[in-house]
């Protein structure tokens, strides 16, 4: 230990064996360290393929530690992936396990000369996630302890169009939860929020990038317990003919409507909706015009029973799509019924 400047002083050194234990998927492991510089080394059995998330709940440090580092080692002892934590309530979604075998989770509290730098409380749970079936029943998730998240998993196919909705959100504190979807490789796909006051609470999972197991994490934004229900739905599809009304009804939270129509370059169209009813009442509905190359041509929103929108001149000839998304609500079913007409103008 060498002062970096010309100085006198003193220091104390602590040498400690790592604390060890075994993690089991779905079971919380509670740990504390008692000495400066003491680490935690836990083993976890993994099978090649989709992996669980590591959920850090109830995390607390003494004054001498501002956070901790977590490193996951493969069965051959080489580093696989790592992260850092400075607050409770973190869910770390892992990339798929590369091989079958025993992995090691190494937890190292950051040491500060101002104190002992120990973990005073840590609940670590490998969470497999509740399975969502496309167009199946809603699945419940709970935040049983402060810092806990709800995790869901589903099988998706490249190019698939899905909608994910959430209802029945309850929180003991705070007003919203963060919602994040992850791709099969563990990288983030998309994210949004779910508010108690009934706004948003849905994710569009359009044109999935790969075939595999996707995961979704719902995390209260505040220190809270509670619960939520998740719905996974395929988009309803149909064909619009210019000048002909199309009656549409979605029946599930987060379900979207995708209607195709043939357009000509420079064509001017008007979108008209009549008799729109949402459940809960007064929810906004988003409308997007998607070009043949899947880019967004125009977007608008309405919460009115009747609505009219003049679409900018179409850029190319081809098959377009009208994408209709009822904004899901944490308080109710978030469904919509309406009559849709595209007309020349």
């Amino acid at each position: 230990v060498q002062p970096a400047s010309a100085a006198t002083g003193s220091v104390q050194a602590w040498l400690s064996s790592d604390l060890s234990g075994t993690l089991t998927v779905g079971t919380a492991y509670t740990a504390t360290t008692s000495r400066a510089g003491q680490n935690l080394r836990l083993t976890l059995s993994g099978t090649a393929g989709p992996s669980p998330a590591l959920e850090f709940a109830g995390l607390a440090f003494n004054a001498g530690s501002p956070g901790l580092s977590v490193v996951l080692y493969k069965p051959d002892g080489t580093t696989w992936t790592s992260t850092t934590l400075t607050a409770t309530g973190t869910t770390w979604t892992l990339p798929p396990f590369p091989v079958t075998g025993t992995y090691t989770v190494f937890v190292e509290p950051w040491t500060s000369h101002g104190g002992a730098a120990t973990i005073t409380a840590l609940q670590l749970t490998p969470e497999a996630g509740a399975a969502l079936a496309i167009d199946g029943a809603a699945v419940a998730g709970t935040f049983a302890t402060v810092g806990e998240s709800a995790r869901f998993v589903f099988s998706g196919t490249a190019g698939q169009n899905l909608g994910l909705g959430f209802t029945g959100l309850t929180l003991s504190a705070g007003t919203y939860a963060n919602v994040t979807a992850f791709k099969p490789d563990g990288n983030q796909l998309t994210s949004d929020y779910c508010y108690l006051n009934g706004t948003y609470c849905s994710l569009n999972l359009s044109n999935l990038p790969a075939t595999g197991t996707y995961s979704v994490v719902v995390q209260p934004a505040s220190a809270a317990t509670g619960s939520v229900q998740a719905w996974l739905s395929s988009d309803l599809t149909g064909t619009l003919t210019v000048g002909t009304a199309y009656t549409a009804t979605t029946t599930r939270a987060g379900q979207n409507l995708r209607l195709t129509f043939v357009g000509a370059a420079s064509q001017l169209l008007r979108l008209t909706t009549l008799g729109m009813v949402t459940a809960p009442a007064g929810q906004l509905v988003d409308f997007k015009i998607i070009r043949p190359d899947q880019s967004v041509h125009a977007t608008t929103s309405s919460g009115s029973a009747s609505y009219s929108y003049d679409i900018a001149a179409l850029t190319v000839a081809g098959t377009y799509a009208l994408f209709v998304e009822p904004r899901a609500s944490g308080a109710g079913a978030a469904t919509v019924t309406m009559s849709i007409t595209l007309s020349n103008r």
Side-chain angles (χ1 to χ4, degrees):
V1 181
Q2 175 67 55
S5 304
T8 59
S10 62
V11 69
Q12 284 185 318
W14 303 67
L15 182 63
S16 308
S17 54
D18 291 350
L19 297 181
S20 59
T22 302
L23 290 174
T24 303
V25 173
T27 302
Y29 184 98
T30 302
T32 60
T33 61
S34 58
R35 298 168 53 85
Q38 188 171 50
N39 305 311
L40 183 64
R41 192 178 295 268
L42 306 173
T43 57
L44 172 64
S45 295
T47 302
S51 60
L54 291 180
E55 183 176 85
F56 297 81
L59 180 61
F61 309 101
N62 68 353
S65 180
L68 54 81
S69 299
V70 185
V71 182
L72 192 59
Y73 293 97
K74 292 189 289 187
D76 64 3
T78 59
T79 300
W80 179 37
T81 185
S82 63
T83 190
T84 58
L85 301 176
T86 57
T88 189
T90 298
T91 298
W92 184 25
T93 297
L94 305 175
F97 284 130
V99 296
T100 297
T102 300
Y103 290 74
T104 300
V105 181
F106 179 72
V107 182
E108 177 189 7
W110 298 344
T111 301
S112 166
H113 62 78
T118 59
I119 305 171
T120 57
L122 168 60
Q123 177 182 306
L124 182 58
T125 308
E127 179 58 57
L132 287 174
I134 298 172
D135 299 324
V139 176
T142 59
F143 324 116
T145 60
V146 171
E148 192 175 1
S149 63
R151 186 170 189 253
F152 306 91
V153 295
F154 67 91
S155 296
T157 304
Q160 201 167 17
N161 295 310
L162 302 173
L164 185 64
F166 300 91
T167 59
L169 176 66
T170 63
L171 296 172
S172 63
T175 60
Y176 73 97
N178 298 301
V179 182
T180 307
F182 296 91
K183 294 183 287 187
D185 63 4
N187 291 315
Q188 182 175 313
L189 175 63
T190 185
S191 65
D192 213 324
Y193 310 96
C194 183
Y195 285 88
L196 288 174
N197 66 2
T199 55
Y200 300 102
C201 289
S202 62
L203 288 179
N204 291 326
L205 307 178
S206 297
N207 192 25
L208 292 183
T211 297
T213 301
Y214 290 75
S215 59
V216 181
V217 174
V218 183
Q219 176 73 57
S222 304
T225 58
S227 61
V228 70
Q229 284 188 317
W231 305 68
L232 183 64
S233 308
S234 53
D235 290 354
L236 296 180
T237 59
T239 303
L240 283 175
T241 301
V242 174
T244 302
Y246 184 101
T247 300
T249 301
T250 63
T251 59
R252 297 166 55 84
Q255 188 172 49
N256 305 311
L257 181 65
R258 192 178 296 267
L259 305 175
T260 58
F261 65 92
V262 176
S266 303
Q267 187 175 7
L268 297 174
L269 293 172
R270 175 176 291 126
L271 169 67
T272 303
T273 63
L274 296 174
M276 188 169 80
V277 177
T278 63
Q283 292 295 109
L284 278 175
V285 177
D286 296 326
F287 302 88
K288 290 181 182 178
I289 304 297
I290 310 296
R291 298 187 183 100
D293 65 359
Q294 302 306 305
S295 63
V296 177
H297 175 72
T299 182
T300 186
S301 301
S302 175
S304 303
S306 300
Y307 179 66
S308 181
Y309 174 72
D310 287 344
I311 301 169
L314 301 185
T315 53
V316 297
T319 300
Y320 287 73
L322 171 64
F323 181 72
V324 182
E325 178 199 5
R327 293 191 185 176
S329 164
T335 59
V336 64
T337 298
M338 73 179 84
S339 173
I340 300 171
T341 304
L342 280 181
S343 57
N344 288 306
R345 60 182 173 90

